[in-house]
């Protein structure tokens, strides 16, 4: 570019250097975020597994060196350093933060219904003495970067694949959902990462909602069963949380034993967003309602229209929040 404007003897050089300086500042800020997550970022090793039936990748990243607290609803750019295309970075929402030894220390009573499949945290083979926190990403494989993650995981099966990653973040914001009397999550597929990231805060904060409703549409029952068994295991024991699962791509139904065991209500067919919003508004718990949507564009559109049609000054406060579908 400097060559193109050199004929003007420096009159337009600023038009080149200003964007260059902005780009360099952006690179410096991103490098600072990566170092804040882990000063030895080149030595951050993530474990990845792929569950074929659920068609989902679980990536577990240690938090032992992070200098900040992971906030719900935030997302991070992930770069895989020890593979091809190491310069690529892609955004993913954090699904949960927990102790490393939780999965390894699970009793048979709380073991996943799918058994010790490759998607289960109990397959992560983390040292029992390691008690540092870890954060989990649930990633739906498509093409390009996520397809390569799937290949890495499959190449190491039945053990988890170990990859060196650089974590750039956090980005996004945390919604103050604890200020509402009721919270309704309407999510599809891997959008379950959004309610997962908020549940711990919403169930443990001093001023927490009276009720939390999760309505989740999935194509593969295996995905729902595994997440219920792992990330949602603790939340299912809370009277505050009610989970409804809509299986849209499976005609065989779900056995009553699985549904009862996981304390979730199972349905088949498409999720009726308008009906769900009406039902939540008319529950015994009265007060303000936050509706959070994360899923395909059609689901988000339905949720937005449903909330807009029900905003009446004489009715309880109802607000709509839409989380971007970060993979």
């Amino acid at each position: 570019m400097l060559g193109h404007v050199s004929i003007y003897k420096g009159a337009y050089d600023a038009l080149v250097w200003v964007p260059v300086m902005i780009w360099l500042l952006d690179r410096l800020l991103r490098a600072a975020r990566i170092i804040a997550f882990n000063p030895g970022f080149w030595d951050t090793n993530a474990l990845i597994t792929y569950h074929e039936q659920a068609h989902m990748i679980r990536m577990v990243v240690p938090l032992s060196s992070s200098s900040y607290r992971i906030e719900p609803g935030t997302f991070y750019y992930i770069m895989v350093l020890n593979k091809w295309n190491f310069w690529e970075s892609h955004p993913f929402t954090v699904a949960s933060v927990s102790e490393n030894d939780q999965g390894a220390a699970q009793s048979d009573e709380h073991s996943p219904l799918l058994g010790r499949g490759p998607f289960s945290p109990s397959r992560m083979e983390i040292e029992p003495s390691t008690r540092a926190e870890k954060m989990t990403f649930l990633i739906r494989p498509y093409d390009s970067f996520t397809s390569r993650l799937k290949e890495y995981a499959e190449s190491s099966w039945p053990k988890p694949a170990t990859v060196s990653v650089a974590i750039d973040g956090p980005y996004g914001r945390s919604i103050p959902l604890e200020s509402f009397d009721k919270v309704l999550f309407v999510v599809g597929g891997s959008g379950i990462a959004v309610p997962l990231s908020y549940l711990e805060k919403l169930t443990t904060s001093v001023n927490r909602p009276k009720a939390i409703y999760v309505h989740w549409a999935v194509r593969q029952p295996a995905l729902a069963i595994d997440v219920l068994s792992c990330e949602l295991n603790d939340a299912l024991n809370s009277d505050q949380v009610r989970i409804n699962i809509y299986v849209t791509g499976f005609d065989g139904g779900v056995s009553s034993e699985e549904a009862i065991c996981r304390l979730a209500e199972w349905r088949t067919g498409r999720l009726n967003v308008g009906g769900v919003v009406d039902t939540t508004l008319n529950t015994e718990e009265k007060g303000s309602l936050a509706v959070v949507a994360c899923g395909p564009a059609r689901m988000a559109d339905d949720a937005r229209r449903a909330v807009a049609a029900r905003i009446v000054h004489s009715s309880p406060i109802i607000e709509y929040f839409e989380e971007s579908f970060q993979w």
Side-chain angles (χ1 to χ4, degrees):
M1 286 296 296
L2 280 175
H4 285 289
V5 298
S6 61
I7 59 174
Y8 299 104
K9 302 184 183 302
Y12 295 97
D13 285 4
L15 297 179
V16 176
W17 289 112
V18 168
V20 167
M21 295 305 295
I22 293 174
W23 182 84
L24 288 174
L25 178 62
D26 173 72
R27 297 298 102 178
L28 288 173
L29 290 174
R30 293 192 67 174
R33 289 175 183 264
I34 292 173
I35 294 172
F37 183 86
N38 184 4
F41 65 89
W42 57 86
D43 196 31
T44 302
N45 294 316
L47 299 176
I48 57 175
T49 51
Y50 172 68
H51 190 306
E52 184 175 1
Q53 289 178 308
H55 190 52
M56 187 67 72
I57 299 165
R58 179 182 268 113
M59 174 181 285
V60 177
V61 182
L63 285 173
S64 55
S65 301
S66 178
S67 61
Y68 53 81
R69 178 181 175 83
I70 307 299
E71 293 294 331
T74 55
F75 64 93
Y76 294 76
Y77 285 88
I78 298 176
M79 291 167 279
V80 177
L81 302 179
N82 61 336
K83 301 291 183 180
W84 292 108
N85 299 347
F86 62 88
W87 59 86
E88 289 187 10
S89 61
H90 297 268
F92 300 97
T93 301
V94 178
S96 65
V97 176
S98 58
E99 292 289 335
N100 265 344
D101 62 339
Q102 284 182 350
Q106 280 183 323
S107 64
D108 293 337
E109 182 181 357
H110 295 93
S111 60
L113 288 175
L114 292 180
R116 290 178 165 267
F119 198 54
S120 168
S122 57
R123 297 287 297 183
M124 291 301 185
E125 298 185 3
I126 299 168
E127 292 296 329
S129 59
T130 303
R131 302 190 61 86
E133 283 188 320
K134 64 186 176 81
M135 67 178 178
T136 301
F137 297 92
L138 299 178
I139 302 169
R140 177 80 74 177
Y142 291 104
D143 53 12
S144 186
F145 180 79
T146 54
S147 177
R148 290 194 293 273
L149 286 180
K150 174 187 169 184
E151 292 173 2
Y152 302 156
E154 289 180 323
S155 65
S156 296
W157 190 89
K159 293 183 177 181
T162 301
V163 293
S164 179
V165 296
I167 305 295
D168 173 17
Y171 294 93
R173 75 196 193 288
S174 186
I175 306 170
L177 298 177
E178 64 276 8
S179 62
F180 291 84
D181 296 304
K182 296 182 288 186
V183 178
L184 168 63
F185 291 99
V186 179
V187 298
S190 56
I192 190 62
V194 171
L196 284 176
S197 67
Y198 281 97
L199 279 178
E200 181 181 0
K201 183 177 182 180
L202 293 178
T203 54
T204 58
S205 61
V206 177
N207 298 318
R208 54 182 180 268
K210 300 174 185 175
I212 302 166
Y213 301 90
V214 179
H215 290 262
W216 180 21
V218 297
R219 291 185 179 180
Q220 296 91 355
L223 169 61
I225 293 170
D226 199 272
V227 173
L228 287 170
S229 305
C230 302
E231 283 78 15
L232 281 172
N233 196 294
D234 292 336
L236 289 171
N237 297 320
S238 171
D239 295 334
Q240 185 186 359
V241 181
R242 295 127 199 216
I243 298 174
N244 293 265
I245 300 171
Y246 302 78
V247 183
T248 61
F250 183 69
D251 298 328
V254 179
S255 73
S256 59
E257 181 181 355
E258 290 169 349
I260 293 172
C261 181
R262 291 305 161 195
L263 302 177
E265 193 167 334
W266 295 77
R267 296 180 173 89
T268 56
R270 187 170 173 267
L271 194 163
N272 181 351
V273 179
V276 165
V277 174
D278 283 334
T279 301
T280 308
L281 282 171
N282 297 322
T283 56
E284 295 179 359
E285 299 86 4
K286 303 301 180 183
S288 57
L289 171 65
V291 179
V292 184
C294 182
R298 183 177 178 181
M299 176 181 288
D301 291 342
D302 289 345
R304 195 183 308 111
R305 282 193 295 265
V307 172
R310 290 158 179 81
I311 296 178
V312 182
H313 293 297
S314 59
S315 298
I317 296 174
I318 175 172
E319 290 193 34
Y320 175 73
F321 303 94
E322 188 172 314
E323 290 291 328
S324 57
F325 212 171
Q326 302 295 348
W327 294 93

